[in-house]
Amino acid sequence: MIQLHQQEPGWELYRSFLGILQEGSLSGAARALGLTQPTVGRHLDALERGIGQSLFVRSQHGLSPTRVAEALRPYAESLAATSAALLRVAASQGADATGTVRITASEVIAVEVLPPILTRLRATHPGLSIELTPSNRVENLLLRDADIAVRMVSPSQAALIARRVGNVELGLYARQSYLDLHGTPPDLAALEKHTLIGFDQETPFMRAIIATLPFLKRSLFALRTDSDLARIAMLRAGFGIGICQVGLARREPDLVRLFPDQVAPQLDTWLAMHEDLRHSPCCQAAFAALYQGLLEYVSPP
C-alpha cells in the first residue's frame, strides 16, 4: 500500500510526474512543461519521498515507469484534465461567450462535419477559443477530458446534459470510376468478387455494424484500416467499395450508393455536456451551435 509521508504532495509534483510518463525523460518533461530539468528532477524526488515509492527505473535510455507509476497514471491524467477544465471554466465566466471550450468528436465528424459549424460559431462569438479533439475513443466528460462531446451512443452518466441529434445513416458506396472499370454488382452476394474497403481490428462498434451487415467479412477486404478517414480517402480515390456516411457522400457527386434499401445502418447521435457547465456562456453557445449544425447534417432539407 502507498502511504503518504509528511505533507501531501502538491499538484505541481504530479504534473511533473505525468510529464515524465508522457515524454520518457526529465529533459523531455522539462521542455514540455516549460521548466528546467533540475526542477523536474526535484519534483520527482519529492513525489517519491512523499509517497514512499520509486516511480521510475533510471537507465542510459531514459526513465521507465515502475508498476506503481503505471497504477498512478490514470489519476495523474485525471488531475491534469480537471486542472485544464478549471482554467477553461474560470476564463469563460462572464456575460459574454468568451474563453475556451474543449470539444471532442469522432475523427470523421471532427474533420468532415464540424469545421463549417465551428467556423460559424467563431464568427458569431469572436472571443471564443476552441480546442477540438478528434478521437474515436469515448472521452469521459465526468473526468473533464472535454467539455462537450459528440457521441454515436446514448450517454449513460447521470451527471451529463445530453440531447439527441438524430440518426447518421451509413451507406455502401463506390466511386463512379471504379464502377465503370469493374461493373456494378447486381446483388450483395456479388460483392465477394469486388474490391472491398474495410476494418482491420474488430471493435465493439464494428461488431455492431457487422451484426446488421453480415456480408462484411474481414477476409474479403482488399484494404483493411481502422482509420475512418483513411477508408473514406480510399473510397474517394476509387480504390473499391466501402461504407460512408450518407451525409458526406451527398457532397461527392462521383460517389454512387449501392443497395440503399438493403444497406442503411444508423448511428444514434448525441450531444453531451457536463451539467456543471450549463451556466457557462461559452459552453451554452457551443452546445447550441453544435446541435443546430449537426441537426442540419443528419436531417438536410
Side-chain angles (χ1 to χ4, degrees):
M1 176 184 294
I2 296 175
Q3 299 199 1
L4 298 182
H5 296 261
Q6 301 175 352
Q7 63 182 12
E8 181 179 346
W11 155 237
E12 71 278 3
L13 306 188
Y14 293 107
R15 183 170 175 261
S16 291
F17 160 68
L18 182 59
I20 299 169
L21 275 174
Q22 294 172 335
E23 300 296 330
S25 67
L26 295 178
S27 59
R31 286 192 298 272
L33 298 173
L35 302 173
T36 65
Q37 183 171 332
T39 298
V40 174
R42 286 194 298 272
H43 286 174
L44 176 58
D45 291 340
L47 182 59
E48 289 182 327
R49 288 195 305 272
I51 65 176
Q53 299 279 346
S54 295
L55 296 173
F56 295 92
V57 177
R58 293 158 175 81
S59 71
Q60 61 181 358
H61 302 294
L63 299 177
S64 300
T66 63
R67 178 182 56 80
V68 175
E70 291 294 355
L72 296 181
R73 181 194 292 267
Y75 300 99
E77 291 174 340
S78 177
L79 283 171
T82 300
S83 175
L86 183 150
L87 294 175
R88 292 197 301 272
V89 172
S92 66
Q93 296 308 300
D96 300 324
T98 59
T100 302
V101 60
R102 188 173 183 84
I103 300 167
T104 183
S106 69
E107 289 183 347
V108 172
I109 294 295
V111 173
E112 298 282 353
V113 180
L114 293 191
I117 298 173
L118 298 181
T119 299
R120 291 194 297 269
L121 171 63
R122 168 71 180 178
T124 305
H125 302 284
L128 186 64
S129 296
I130 300 164
E131 295 177 355
L132 179 61
T133 304
S135 173
N136 290 337
R137 183 173 69 93
V138 177
E139 304 289 342
N140 194 328
L141 297 183
L142 298 184
L143 296 180
R144 302 303 176 86
D145 291 338
D147 300 320
I148 301 175
V150 182
R151 289 181 170 171
M152 301 307 187
V153 62
S154 175
S156 57
Q157 297 98 331
L160 299 181
I161 298 171
R163 190 171 184 184
R164 186 175 183 274
V165 177
N167 288 323
V168 170
E169 185 175 344
L170 303 179
L172 194 64
Y173 287 88
R175 189 180 176 89
Q176 184 62 58
S177 59
Y178 171 87
L179 298 176
D180 291 342
L181 187 61
H182 301 281
T184 301
D187 50 42
L188 290 175
L191 289 173
E192 293 189 5
K193 299 178 181 179
H194 279 264
T195 301
L196 300 185
I197 302 167
F199 60 89
D200 185 18
Q201 302 297 321
E202 189 175 299
T203 64
F205 171 76
M206 283 300 172
R207 281 195 291 274
I209 295 296
I210 294 170
T212 62
L213 307 173
F215 61 88
L216 288 181
K217 300 176 182 178
R218 184 181 182 279
S219 60
L220 298 178
F221 299 147
L223 185 137
R224 304 183 186 103
T225 176
D226 291 324
S227 169
D228 296 335
L229 293 176
R231 286 196 294 271
I232 292 174
M234 297 304 293
L235 188 62
R236 286 169 170 157
F239 183 90
I241 299 173
I243 295 291
C244 180
Q245 293 185 15
V246 173
L248 296 185
R250 288 194 190 99
R251 308 171 183 172
E252 306 279 346
D254 288 339
L255 290 183
V256 178
R257 188 170 184 181
L258 306 174
F259 315 115
D261 295 331
Q262 297 167 272
V263 182
Q266 308 280 325
L267 298 178
D268 197 19
T269 307
W270 292 75
L271 201 58
M273 176 174 69
H274 195 289
E275 64 179 2
D276 290 349
L277 300 175
R278 68 170 67 239
H279 300 301
S280 164
C282 273
C283 293
Q284 287 179 339
F287 195 94
L290 286 168
Y291 179 78
Q292 183 58 41
L294 289 169
L295 190 63
E296 293 170 1
Y297 174 68
V298 302
S299 304

